Amino acid sequence: MKQILFNTDMVRAILNNRKMVTRRAVKIEHLRGLDSYEATTIKKNCVPPYCPGDILYVRETWAEGVEGYEYKADHTFSDGWGWRPSIHMPREAARIFLRVTDVKVERLQDMQPYDIAFEGFRRERDFKMLWNSTIKPADRALYGWDANPWVWVIEFERITKEEAG
């Protein structure tokens, strides 16, 4: 089982069945300047982070509560909980499990309006803002929205903990 990190807003979108896909930058230096025809090169020479059939557990912002784990996505107000970043969430605290159904590669800006909805957003500009907020400022020239990087498009379905095994 592999892990995947999501911010609080994206966890809420998954919980509300609004998010069924995520995009992750293909982070390989030699890909700069490739055109659409060369996308097959990426598929042949790059290993995607996930493959169809993979089971993922979602790491999200969390805290240890009196009666177990608490999740920031469940709270309107976040003060006083001692939230810990998703990167430090242990596997046993996971409550969301996903099965990867498809993985493909495309340019970030090749998204269609329905892709925005599958990402959990209503407007493209909101997705652009989120995308850029996940990229380190020093890396935005390569991976920011305006750079139009190659991305892995990872489609998934939510499954139960029991199905995840």
Side-chain angles (χ1 to χ4, degrees):
M1 189 176 309
K2 297 180 179 182
Q3 64 172 329
I4 189 166
L5 279 73
F6 283 107
N7 69 24
T8 300
D9 289 334
M10 294 299 89
V11 168
R12 287 182 182 134
I14 292 169
L15 291 172
N16 292 323
N17 297 314
R18 291 185 292 115
K19 185 168 182 64
M20 297 160 266
V21 66
T22 190
R23 283 165 170 73
R24 305 293 162 119
V26 176
K27 295 195 173 188
I28 298 181
E29 285 293 319
H30 73 272
L31 295 181
R32 281 188 277 168
L34 291 180
D35 60 29
S36 303
Y37 175 77
E38 293 169 304
T40 55
T41 302
I42 296 171
K43 288 183 179 179
K44 291 178 184 175
N45 297 326
C46 302
V47 177
Y50 309 107
C51 296
D54 283 351
I55 304 296
L56 313 177
Y57 69 96
V58 173
R59 294 176 92 178
E60 59 181 296
T61 304
W62 63 289
E64 291 187 53
V66 176
E67 297 181 28
Y69 297 107
E70 295 288 335
Y71 306 94
K72 190 174 182 180
D74 293 341
H75 295 271
T76 310
F77 300 101
S78 58
D79 294 340
W81 278 99
W83 297 116
R84 297 170 136 184
S86 57
I87 192 73
H88 299 299
M89 181 182 181
R91 181 176 168 185
E92 60 270 9
R95 62 174 174 159
I96 302 172
F97 298 87
L98 310 172
R99 179 181 294 119
V100 177
T101 57
D102 194 23
V103 178
K104 59 187 175 186
V105 67
E106 68 182 23
R107 289 284 194 173
L108 179 60
Q109 294 180 22
D110 287 348
M111 296 176 72
Q112 301 299 312
Y114 61 83
D115 291 320
I116 299 296
F118 290 157
E119 282 278 2
F121 290 88
R122 291 190 180 106
R123 293 180 295 272
E124 184 179 281
R125 71 181 167 101
D126 295 333
F127 180 76
K128 287 181 191 180
M129 289 174 49
L130 172 82
W131 181 266
N132 282 333
S133 75
T134 65
I135 306 297
K136 295 177 191 173
D139 291 340
R140 286 198 188 129
L142 286 176
Y143 304 116
W145 179 267
D146 291 336
N148 196 21
W150 288 99
V151 293
W152 296 111
V153 181
I154 303 156
E155 296 178 18
F156 56 82
E157 62 183 355
R158 192 167 164 208
I159 61 173
T160 65
K161 187 174 189 172
E162 292 72 34
E163 289 175 291

